[in-house]
Amino acid sequence: VPPAAIIATGTSKEIKLSWVEPVGASTYTVKRALRSGGPYIVIASNVVKSTYTDRQIHPGSLFYYTVSASNTNGESSNAVETSITAGLPSLWSQLDIGNVNVNGSATFDGVIFRLEGSGMGLDSTKDEFQFVYKPLKGDGVITARFVPQPGSQFSTMGLMMRESLSEGSPNVSLMIYPGKTNQIEAPAWQVRLLSRNKTNINTAKSNEVFSLNDPAISWGRLTGSVWLRLQRKSNTFTGFTSYDGLKWTTTGTITCPLNKTPLIGISVASGIKSISSIFQLDNVSITNAL
């Protein structure tokens, strides 16, 4: 039988693969394609371990991998393919903002951005989070769908436009965050606009709140998808929330004098200093990005 559960992790320098070994396998053949379903080319044969590192890559390119197993009886069929980008797509970058205790990371498989982030988020004068971003020129809109669920009930995640990578930078964010309740493991999940008009001042929250309910919330857990959209028109920023990506609800409008070339992207934080959480978002789109 073919190998199972191919796992790929990518950087701009290499892509690491691992898989579950089938019983009786002696060696493996690693194959790669530039589109889903192939055609595949063999990039390594007679691999004896269930791991392989591909260093013949182009930063920002998307690759599709499969693996077959062999023994004295012959070669198996191909495993179910997996996809990964060598680092992030062109012009995208990632960085831990502020004094985080656990390093974050970000990957993209052609559909889903997978972010790992720690830190306390945006509730003070000094931010702590993982940021995946690209430059924006002038006005623009970013849209993304949060894919449930985060690893921490203290997590915050959302969309951001930010002047710089400094921890106290002016910014506007549309965030999903856990509102306080009497039960620490069953927060009141909400969406709200946050902003910092000047460097190193406290983050302000808009008065408008979108309270998340069914189908996104089950027993205090963020178990359903949530769509977010953050729009900039000059110095006016508007947030939108949706459960299905079709029907949108305005989730606040604020004025903030950000510069004309901010950074735009995704912000995530575990809400815990010493532990990171995993976050996944798909359907990410940006208009007017450089």
Side-chain angles (χ1 to χ4, degrees), residues 9-31:
T9 58
T11 70
S12 60
K13 296 181 179 179
E14 62 184 23
I15 292 174
K16 294 183 178 181
L17 304 172
S18 63
W19 54 87
V20 176
E21 300 182 11
V23 174
S26 300
T27 61
Y28 303 96
T29 301
V30 181
K31 308 167 188 180

Side-chain angles (χ1 to χ4, degrees), residues 111 141-148 157-159 174-176 190-192 210 212-213 215-216 222 224-230 239-251 280-285:
V111 176
V141 179
I142 178 171
T143 302
R145 182 179 70 162
F146 166 73
V147 180
M157 67 225 79
L159 309 178
L174 181 66
M175 303 299 296
I176 301 172
Q190 303 169 345
V191 181
R192 179 180 275 178
F210 186 94
L212 294 172
N213 297 295
L222 192 55
S225 297
V226 180
W227 290 74
L228 301 178
R229 176 172 291 164
L230 180 59
F240 304 89
T241 307
S242 174
Y243 290 121
D244 58 10
L246 300 174
K247 183 180 179 181
W248 292 87
T249 300
T250 302
T251 316
Q280 297 188 110
L281 296 100
D282 63 11
N283 289 277
V284 177
S285 66

Side-chain angles (χ1 to χ4, degrees), residues 15-260:
I15 292 174
K16 294 183 178 181
L17 304 172
S18 63
W19 54 87
V20 176
E21 300 182 11
V23 174
S26 300
T27 61
Y28 303 96
T29 301
V30 181
K31 308 167 188 180
R32 188 180 76 185
L34 296 178
R35 63 184 183 186
S36 180
Y40 299 104
I41 62 170
V42 174
I43 59 173
S45 56
N46 297 316
V47 176
V48 296
K49 296 182 178 181
S50 56
T51 61
Y52 179 76
T53 300
D54 182 10
R55 296 187 175 90
Q56 303 300 313
I57 59 174
H58 303 287
S61 295
L62 177 63
F63 298 101
Y64 297 85
Y65 292 91
T66 187
V67 180
S68 61
S70 297
N71 59 20
T72 55
N73 293 319
E75 181 181 3
S76 74
S77 57
N78 289 334
V80 175
E81 72 176 13
T82 191
S83 58
I84 192 72
T85 298
L88 294 174
S90 177
L91 297 180
W92 284 90
S93 301
Q94 66 89 18
L95 186 71
D96 284 317
I97 304 295
N99 184 29
V100 299
N101 289 358
V102 182
N103 292 335
S105 63
T107 61
F108 181 65
D109 66 4
V111 176
I112 293 175
F113 280 90
R114 181 183 184 275
L115 285 69
E116 181 172 1
S118 62
M120 301 305 294
L122 311 173
D123 283 341
S124 68
T125 61
K126 306 293 184 182
D127 300 332
E128 298 176 357
F129 62 94
Q130 165 70 195
F131 191 33
V132 173
Y133 63 93
K134 65 192 306 184
L136 176 71
K137 184 178 181 180
D139 296 342
V141 179
I142 178 171
T143 302
R145 182 179 70 162
F146 166 73
V147 180
Q149 61 177 306
S152 164
Q153 289 289 84
F154 304 96
S155 298
T156 58
M157 67 225 79
L159 309 178
M160 174 180 285
M161 299 187 196
R162 187 178 188 87
E163 283 196 353
S164 75
L165 298 174
S166 68
E167 59 188 4
S169 170
N171 71 84
V172 176
S173 306
L174 181 66
M175 303 299 296
I176 301 172
Y177 70 96
K180 292 182 179 180
T181 67
N182 293 328
Q183 300 182 54
I184 194 170
E185 285 296 325
W189 289 98
Q190 303 169 345
V191 181
R192 179 180 275 178
L193 276 174
L194 308 177
S195 64
R196 181 187 290 124
N197 292 337
K198 297 180 181 179
T199 302
N200 294 335
I201 66 171
N202 278 316
T203 298
K205 298 179 180 179
S206 69
N207 293 325
E208 296 181 65
V209 176
F210 186 94
S211 296
L212 294 172
N213 297 295
D214 183 66
I217 306 298
S218 299
W219 301 100
R221 298 282 173 172
L222 192 55
T223 55
S225 297
V226 180
W227 290 74
L228 301 178
R229 176 172 291 164
L230 180 59
Q231 172 186 278
R232 177 185 187 174
K233 290 185 177 180
S234 186
N235 289 331
T236 300
F237 295 82
T238 306
F240 304 89
T241 307
S242 174
Y243 290 121
D244 58 10
L246 300 174
K247 183 180 179 181
W248 292 87
T249 300
T250 302
T251 316
T253 298
I254 60 175
T255 299
C256 185
L258 290 190
N259 62 27
K260 297 299 183 182

